Amino acid sequence: MAMPAGIPVIDTMIGFPHEGFAQYDFIRKQTRDKGSEEMEFPAEYMFKQVPKDLPSGDPISVTLKEMDRYNIERGLVGVSDETSRLALKKHPDRFIPSSDISDPNDITGSVRQLRRDHDEFGIKATGVFPAGTFPQVAIDAPQMYPIYQTCVDLDIPIFCTAGIPGPRLKFAVQEVSRIDTVMYDFPDLVFITRHGCEPWEKLAWKLMLKWPNLYYSTSAFAPKHYPKEIIDFANTRGADKIIYAGYFPMGLSLERIFTDMPHVPFKEEVWPKFLSGNARRVLKLDA
């Protein structure tokens, strides 16, 4: 069924325009190929219409305007940069605070920062990009275990990139099979995958059937490229497991996403859960 009109959307991966691409320097220090050096956005070979020319003078207004245009009620944003913190202060009804685990090699520092962000900003989630850490830290690495336990203690979910990364980085740390060990060791942890889980989409939905607290978000994928296995899973046994996430302005425009979205063959009962209901529940937005 085509996407019904009027469902308010919660976007679990959205941001604000930045001048330049310095925010990707943490990726560039790992890449070695010439192509990555020449690309402004390190995964640009995969994204042909990166919204590069957005005005950055008032980035919060730019994002809010796009959110209003596509009925996005609220968006999950970081707390580590000044723009995001200002957005959270000025528009607490529109933006949801989330932290980021930038260096899990610093175990004590990561746990302390997570707790500080929870105390100061009331974060509803945190996130980690294993392939982007340096040195890389795997999904099931010992360094991550105190972080996972802290998430359990704070009662917040963790969004974790899984599958082969877009940037030309080593992928082994993001193999989807690693999630099984984490869910076994932390049955109370709410774990949400990001960026597709490719090429292990079938394994991802099998693990979601197995583990009650494992979810999948659609970040960094234009809807026309949502994996068939994930759509089929949502339409059968996984309607409560699939969560909408965009990728604006990092790699996709909201126009691209919501031009494609009506053609995704979700069943009628899946749409409200996918667009907002599941995110509202796992982020405890009504609590």
Side-chain angles (χ1 to χ4, degrees):
M1 175 183 173
M3 181 178 71
I7 298 176
V9 178
I10 294 173
D11 193 329
T12 57
M13 193 170 193
I14 197 167
F16 305 98
H18 289 272
E19 185 175 353
F21 293 86
Q23 66 265 35
Y24 299 115
D25 286 348
F26 76 100
I27 294 176
R28 293 190 185 94
K29 69 182 179 183
Q30 287 197 61
T31 54
R32 297 181 175 183
D33 63 292
K34 184 178 179 180
S36 293
E37 292 179 4
E38 294 173 346
M39 286 184 285
E40 293 176 305
F41 171 44
E44 194 167 343
Y45 71 96
M46 296 178 62
F47 296 89
K48 303 303 182 184
Q49 297 177 326
V50 179
K52 296 181 180 181
D53 299 323
L54 296 169
S56 57
D58 188 355
I60 298 171
S61 293
V62 171
T63 295
L64 280 172
K65 181 178 179 181
E66 289 298 290
M67 289 170 65
D68 291 342
R69 184 180 175 191
Y70 296 103
N71 199 30
I72 297 174
E73 178 185 276
R74 302 182 74 179
L76 187 70
V77 300
V79 298
S80 61
D81 67 279
E82 183 178 347
T83 299
S84 296
R85 291 193 293 268
L86 181 61
L88 289 161
K89 182 178 180 179
K90 294 179 66 175
H91 305 280
D93 58 327
R94 303 301 303 277
F95 297 109
I96 307 159
S98 176
S99 65
D100 290 295
I101 306 299
S102 60
D103 184 15
N105 292 288
D106 179 6
I107 300 170
T108 300
S110 293
V111 169
R112 286 177 176 169
Q113 187 64 55
L114 194 52
R115 292 188 177 278
R116 281 197 297 269
D117 288 343
H118 188 265
D119 291 343
E120 183 175 355
F121 300 105
I123 56 170
K124 294 289 188 177
T126 191
V128 66
F129 173 22
T133 58
F134 187 74
Q136 287 186 333
V137 176
I139 289 171
D140 59 347
Q143 298 97 308
M144 289 300 302
Y145 273 47
I147 294 166
Y148 292 144
Q149 185 59 54
T150 304
C151 289
V152 173
D153 293 344
L154 298 176
D155 196 22
I156 60 172
I158 188 165
F159 286 81
C160 181
T161 309
I164 293 179
R168 290 170 179 150
L169 305 170
K170 293 181 290 184
F171 72 81
V173 293
Q174 293 188 173
E175 290 180 359
V176 170
S177 61
R178 295 178 181 273
I179 298 171
D180 188 56
T181 302
V182 173
M183 302 313 297
Y184 179 83
D185 288 339
F186 296 91
D188 295 326
L189 176 68
V190 176
F191 191 105
I192 308 162
T193 68
R194 274 181 170 159
H195 288 26
C197 294
E198 287 186 319
W200 300 285
E201 303 97 316
K202 188 173 182 179
L203 176 58
W205 71 249
K206 184 66 175 178
L207 290 175
M208 282 188 277
L209 279 179
K210 179 181 180 181
W211 299 112
N213 290 332
L214 179 59
Y215 298 84
Y216 177 108
S217 71
T218 58
S219 61
F221 274 63
K224 69 180 293 184
H225 297 303
Y226 286 173
K228 181 179 184 300
E229 292 85 354
I230 297 303
I231 294 172
D232 291 345
F233 178 61
N235 283 335
T236 52
R237 302 176 68 181
D240 295 327
K241 293 282 197 166
I242 310 302
I243 296 171
Y244 165 69
Y247 201 41
F248 173 84
M250 294 75 79
L252 292 167
S253 67
L254 290 176
E255 180 178 16
R256 169 71 192 281
I257 292 170
F258 285 95
T259 297
D260 286 359
M261 191 69 81
H263 306 293
V264 177
F266 284 139
K267 290 183 177 179
E268 180 179 5
E269 62 270 24
V270 172
W271 280 110
K273 295 181 177 183
F274 167 67
L275 291 174
S276 58
N278 293 338
R280 194 179 303 277
R281 174 167 45 83
V282 299
L283 295 173
K284 297 179 175 62
L285 297 184
D286 297 325

